[in-house]
Structures are given as structure tokens and as C-alpha cells.
């Protein structure tokens, strides 16, 4: 069997809604025949930066090293400076954005839907398949 590709992914999320992030982590960690590296910045392991500029530089480096970013497209995305920055940086660096629509959500922020290469539902198989299909 050939060696599995290691997908380097950043999961863009709001720390206030970390259960969604945790769910996607579980899906990726338990997917069959799937290998990945987590480039996300979690509330448990934040960057040790002192300024907003330094934080932006760190985030840019994280995204630069990724094959794709996954954006949980909750409506809170509209109000998150950091998710907005991650989306803009992914676009600037030519990184594919995989949008994930949370279960039961009827509306999607246009910032996500207009820039995602694909929007998938809240389903482990859909997220994993989108990574396989669209991550560079």
C-alpha cells in the first residue's frame, strides 16, 4: 500500500465554540486511511505573542505551511477578527478553504461561502472527503 499523504490543516474556529473544533478534531483523528497534522491554534495551546502584529505573523506562518484551512461557518464568524484574518490570509496565499456548515444552521456567512472551494455539511465523511479532494 502506498504511503498516505499527510494533510497539513488549520481549523479556523472560535474559541468560544470549541466543541465544534473538538468534533472536527475527532473526525480527522479517527478517519480511516487518513493522516494529518494539526496547524490550528487552540485555546489550550495559544501562541505566546505580545502584540497583534506578532500574532498575525504567527498565524500567517501557520497558514503558509498548510495544505488547506477548514472553517466552521457559524454566524459568529461574522464577528471574529481572527477568523476573518485567517480567511483573508488563506486567500492571499492561495490555500483552499473548506467550509463546514454546523448542524442545524440555516444561514452561512457570505465571507465563508464566497471564498470556500467547497461547503460541506456537519458530517465526518464529508469533511474528510473534502480534504482529500481539495487540499493541495
Amino acid at each position: 500500500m502506498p504511503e498516505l499523504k499527510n494533510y497539513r490543516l488549520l481549523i479556523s474556529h472560535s474559541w468560544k465554540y470549541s466543541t465544534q473544533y473538538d468534533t472536527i478534531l475527532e473526525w480527522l483523528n479517527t478517519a480511516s486511511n487518513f493522516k494529518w497534522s494539526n496547524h490550528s491554534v487552540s485555546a489550550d495551546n495559544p501562541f505566546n505573542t505580545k502584540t497583534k502584529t506578532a500574532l498575525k505573523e504567527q498565524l500567517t506562518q501557520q497558514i503558509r505551511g498548510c495544505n488547506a484551512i477548514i472553517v466552521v461557518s457559524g454566524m459568529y464568524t461574522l464577528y471574529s477578527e481572527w477568523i476573518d484574518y485567517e480567511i483573508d490570509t488563506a486567500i492571499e496565499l492561495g490555500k483552499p478553504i473548506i467550509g463546514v456548515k454546523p448542524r442545524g444552521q440555516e444561514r452561512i456567512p457570505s465571507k465563508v461561502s464566497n471564498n470556500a472551494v467547497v461547503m460541506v455539511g456537519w458530517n465526518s465523511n464529508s469533511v474528510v472527503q473534502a480534504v482529500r479532494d481539495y487540499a493541495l
Side-chain angles (χ1 to χ4, degrees):
M1 176 187 272
E3 187 172 332
L4 296 174
K5 177 178 178 163
N6 182 34
Y7 295 101
R8 297 178 320 272
L9 305 170
L10 181 139
I11 304 167
S12 182
H13 64 288
S14 170
W15 287 358
K16 290 180 183 177
Y17 297 90
S18 63
T19 56
Q20 293 173 337
Y21 170 79
D22 293 339
T23 298
I24 292 176
L25 280 180
E26 182 181 337
W27 291 345
L28 297 175
N29 286 335
T30 60
S32 297
N33 299 314
F34 188 81
K35 184 177 175 184
W36 78 293
S37 297
N38 189 352
H39 287 243
S40 306
V41 183
S42 70
D44 297 336
N45 192 22
F47 289 138
N48 185 19
T49 56
K50 305 245 186 271
T51 67
K52 190 182 274 193
T53 300
L55 179 55
K56 286 182 176 183
E57 288 173 10
Q58 286 281 81
L59 277 172
T60 299
Q61 290 308 312
Q62 288 293 103
I63 294 168
R64 182 172 276 119
C66 290
N67 298 108
I69 71 167
I70 297 172
V71 179
V72 179
S73 57
M75 291 308 290
Y76 55 81
T77 303
L78 292 169
Y79 310 105
S80 172
E81 174 184 1
W82 296 110
I83 293 174
D84 194 56
Y85 180 80
E86 291 165 347
I87 292 170
D88 289 342
T89 302
I91 293 165
E92 181 182 314
L93 296 174
K95 302 297 179 174
I97 297 168
I98 298 167
V100 181
K101 182 180 175 184
R103 183 175 311 257
Q105 183 149 327
E106 294 180 21
R107 295 177 29 213
I108 300 294
S110 60
K111 177 84 175 205
V112 179
S113 61
N114 290 343
N115 292 294
V117 293
V118 65
M119 290 295 306
V120 298
W122 192 252
N123 176 288
S124 61
N125 292 333
S126 298
V127 172
V128 170
Q129 192 59 53
V131 171
R132 287 183 169 131
D133 291 345
Y134 295 99
L136 301 173

